[in-house]
Amino acid sequence: MIPGAHSAEALVAGAAEATRRAAEYLLSLRGPDGAWECPITAGAPLETDLILLELWRHPPQGGAWTPPNPGRIERAIRNVLARHLPDGGIAIYPHGPAELNATVKAYFALKAAGVPGESTAMRAACECVLRLGGLHRTSAWVKIELGLFGLYDDYPAVPPEMILLPGGFDSMPYWMRMRAIPLAVLTASKQSRRVPDGFNLRELAAGHESGSEQVIGAGRFAPLMRLAGRYPIQPIRARALRECGRWMAEHRPDESYTAMRYALMAMDAAIYPRGHADSRELEEQIERLVTDDGERLSLRPCRAEVLDTALALFALGEAGTEAPECSVEWLMAQDASPESADVTALELLALMHSASSKRQDAVALLVRTQAKDGGWPADESCPDTTGRVLEALCRAGKLPPDHSAVRRGVDYLLRSQELDGSWSGRWGVSYVYGAFLALRGLAAAGVDEREACVLRGGEWLRSVQNPDGGWGESCASYDGHGFVAAPSTASQTAWAVAGLIAGGDMDSMSVRSGIEWLAGRQRAGGGWDEDVATATEIPREQYLARHSYGQAYPLVALAAYNQACRGGAPARSSR
């Protein structure tokens, strides 16, 4: 590690000043209603999906496709073309390699929108797809989407009858259910949308025939579901479709653009007549994710007011900055989702210093949603969510270390620690994020800093520190299930510093260098520059650059350092 450039006293003073400026900047990002909603960018170009949604809803009537808003489609085309790599492919995170599924979808959308196949960009994209294995190597989700336009035969099945089976769709991760149930409606409706005359994607086939026997998410029911898909019993199929429609009505995809898009397609195909109130409401929700001023077009991958507001209030609270009353009231008015333990725990931490009856409701919800293995799920139990829930239950919920939920959560973290001392992360990239939240959860649950799991976690964090004093990790960590270093970022440096301090490392050279990195790269206005993806939507498929991560988490780390310098210790229960 590089030696500190400043004396200990100067570093402490610099950290305090950086904390003040960071808190002021974070407060300035608050909206008029008291909520935060920071910019968020998807790794892969979502404008591809916007083009394909328009193609689905307004198919060609013969000949070429003439969309109702050609100017918007042109702006979307420009955005997608601008994201092509030199080798013709599309990456799913900044500075990443070409990814097959994203490249195939971009090629499909651009070709359907009229970009000539003989153009330089399209020829390079085609060559990239073939180099990556061709159309038959794409994911089940891409094959289904191609099949809905008549471009892929025998695509994977999503039989709606699964909703009638015990543990059918419920056994899937929530993000998968939000896709699979609308797709079950779509595939069962046997509708496919027209494409321009003579349109096909044979040039991407690489000599392979299409076809798939996969039944998504069916598990042990796969043979039965395969038969149901081929030879449906109509009364059962009708009942299953009704149940799918009811589920969709009760689980509105009001955050994820991808889930909203599939739901709207399903509504168009089989549930509601065009113009139904529910369809119009979903159209409006999708439209709120689009920014189009006639010159530039951008598309947010999801709504994030609840997460951003909870994270901002938590960071401000850690720094000792009084939370704006209207922001607290806004957050308290939001319903906690049983499907998102991570966000519920963050809300609980954000409301830690307020007199809120919602606090005990959140504690009860989190205890109730603990998995059988002792962890808390995102898709399945994961260390980062479990660490955050433990911190919330013990610090905000005041559960004692000997509470059964706390004991089981700690045991899960001990079992899920990697051999090198790290923990994997589901919602942040990746092992640095997992180690950060696991160590904070263990500290809050009263695990002694001299325990082997804590010492190994801290040693691992120090071992992956960059020479410049910061930390950075690539989304490629998910590909090989192991840490892949990247240039330092504000969010990941903050995670590492806060994790080390939680593990009892108050003033090592690693911690001081990390604080120097954060203070030295803070902008004059109080924020940090961060345009890379450090948030994870779906591993190996969609990564996000959340502006809130690069602004709020450094404040959390600086606040932890300030407390350590004042002689404090990480929030820790006696165990």
Side-chain angles (χ1 to χ4, degrees):
M1 296 298 101
I2 59 173
H6 306 290
S7 67
E9 294 79 6
L11 184 59
V12 170
E17 175 61 16
T19 302
R20 183 190 65 78
R21 290 162 53 207
E24 289 181 356
Y25 176 72
L26 193 56
L27 281 169
S28 75
L29 301 178
R30 187 167 47 101
D33 61 353
W36 277 260
E37 186 171 22
C38 299
I40 177 171
T41 306
L46 289 179
E47 294 79 15
T48 292
D49 292 335
L50 184 148
I51 295 170
L52 295 180
L53 179 59
E54 288 295 293
L55 181 62
W56 173 269
R57 305 203 79 210
H58 307 284
Q61 300 301 315
W65 180 41
T66 54
N69 191 338
R72 172 175 283 192
I73 297 300
E74 284 298 322
R75 290 187 287 280
I77 289 171
R78 288 202 302 269
N79 283 13
V80 177
L81 288 173
R83 299 284 287 275
H84 275 76
L85 299 174
D87 67 358
I90 296 287
I92 57 175
Y93 56 90
H95 314 299
E99 198 273 337
L100 176 62
N101 297 294
T103 306
V104 167
K105 287 186 65 176
Y107 186 94
F108 171 22
L110 293 173
K111 185 176 180 181
V115 179
E118 63 272 15
S119 67
T120 300
M122 294 294 279
R123 287 201 309 270
C126 179
E127 292 171 2
C128 180
V129 168
L130 296 177
R131 190 166 56 250
L132 294 174
L135 208 59
H136 78 290
R137 293 288 299 273
T138 55
S139 71
W141 305 107
V142 172
K143 289 172 181 170
I144 290 173
E145 191 149 353
L146 295 175
L148 293 173
F149 288 94
L151 298 171
Y152 198 92
D153 298 330
D154 300 323
Y155 49 85
V158 190
E161 288 84 357
M162 283 181 62
I163 203 165
L164 304 177
L165 296 174
F169 285 119
D170 288 341
S171 64
M172 293 181 176
Y174 188 65
W175 70 266
M176 188 183 288
R177 262 179 287 163
M178 295 301 293
R179 293 181 179 192
I181 292 178
L183 288 176
V185 173
L186 283 165
T187 54
S189 71
K190 300 298 183 184
Q191 290 195 31
S192 64
R193 289 297 197 261
R194 288 187 295 275
V195 290
D197 285 355
F199 185 95
N200 62 70
L201 296 175
R202 294 192 188 101
E203 65 269 31
L204 305 183
H208 291 270
E209 296 295 327
S210 66
S212 174
E213 289 294 308
Q214 183 179 0
V215 181
I216 292 179
R220 67 183 186 278
F221 299 116
L224 178 62
M225 291 297 95
R226 192 173 292 115
L227 286 173
R230 292 177 179 173
Y231 312 106
I233 301 171
Q234 290 307 321
I236 298 177
R237 169 63 54 91
R239 180 187 167 203
L241 287 172
R242 287 195 300 272
E243 286 299 306
C244 287
R246 180 191 59 76
W247 191 93
M248 289 173 59
E250 294 176 355
H251 299 78
R252 295 299 178 87
D254 57 356
E255 292 187 357
S256 166
Y257 173 76
T258 299
M260 283 192 264
R261 184 169 70 94
Y262 286 143
L264 185 57
M265 292 166 66
M267 288 178 180
D268 279 357
I271 297 179
Y272 299 132
R274 183 68 66 89
H276 188 278
D278 286 354
S279 295
R280 289 200 308 270
E281 180 184 349
L282 200 48
E283 289 175 6
E284 292 169 359
Q285 290 176 348
I286 289 175
E287 193 61 27
R288 285 198 290 270
L289 297 177
V290 179
T291 301
D292 185 0
D293 61 7
E295 295 293 331
R296 297 178 61 85
L297 180 146
S298 62
L299 183 60
R300 291 173 62 89
C302 57
R303 302 302 299 268
E305 299 103 316
V306 173
L307 186 150
D308 285 351
T309 302
L311 179 56
L313 288 176
F314 173 58
L316 291 168
E318 294 293 275
T321 301
E322 185 175 355
E325 186 176 347
C326 62
S327 300
V328 174
E329 291 175 352
W330 185 93
L331 187 60
M332 288 194 296
Q334 310 308 307
D335 293 329
S337 170
E339 302 289 353
S340 182
D342 185 73
V343 176
T344 300
L346 190 55
E347 288 182 76
L348 184 56
L349 287 165
L351 298 172
M352 194 160 37
H353 303 295
S354 66
S356 168
S357 59
K358 186 175 180 178
R359 184 184 306 170
Q360 291 309 313
D361 294 341
V363 170
L365 174 61
L366 290 171
V367 170
R368 188 169 68 249
T369 55
Q370 188 173 25
K372 291 181 180 179
D373 61 6
W376 274 270
D379 303 334
E380 56 189 12
S381 292
C382 53
D384 53 330
T385 296
T386 301
R388 171 158 281 157
V389 171
L390 281 176
E391 182 178 2
L393 290 177
C394 296
R395 290 187 63 193
K398 307 299 184 184
L399 294 190
D402 59 355
H403 189 282
S404 61
V406 176
R407 290 201 313 271
R408 293 174 59 224
V410 169
D411 289 343
Y412 169 81
L413 287 179
L414 298 184
R415 294 195 309 273
S416 62
Q417 190 172 23
E418 304 286 336
L419 292 177
D420 61 6
S422 66
W423 284 270
S424 62
R426 169 60 180 83
W427 296 113
V429 180
S430 163
Y431 293 93
V432 174
Y433 186 73
F436 153 59
L437 287 177
L439 287 169
R440 283 182 71 96
L442 292 172
V447 176
D448 194 283
E449 62 193 42
R450 293 166 295 183
E451 290 287 345
C453 60
V454 177
L455 294 173
R456 291 174 58 227
E459 184 57 36
W460 180 82
L461 281 172
R462 286 186 289 271
S463 75
V464 297
Q465 188 172 17
N466 284 335
D468 64 2
W471 278 261
E473 182 175 1
S474 168
C475 299
S477 291
Y478 289 99
D479 299 332
H481 305 287
F483 175 82
V484 177
S488 300
T489 68
S491 58
Q492 291 166 326
T493 299
W495 297 339
V497 169
L500 286 171
I501 293 173
D505 181 353
M506 307 290 189
D507 194 36
S508 69
M509 183 64 73
S510 287
V511 169
R512 292 198 300 272
S513 296
I515 293 296
E516 285 180 0
W517 192 98
L518 289 172
R521 285 161 179 80
Q522 188 180 31
R523 298 194 307 264
W528 283 264
D529 292 320
E530 181 166 301
D531 59 1
V532 299
T534 64
T536 308
E537 181 75 1
I538 301 173
R540 295 177 294 282
E541 181 175 332
Q542 185 66 275
Y543 301 100
L544 306 176
R546 290 184 180 270
H547 185 69
S548 61
Y549 276 22
Q551 313 312 314
Y553 280 116
L555 182 55
V556 172
L558 289 165
Y561 182 72
N562 294 338
Q563 181 182 357
C565 291
R566 290 193 298 267
R572 186 182 298 275
S573 302
S574 58
R575 186 177 178 86

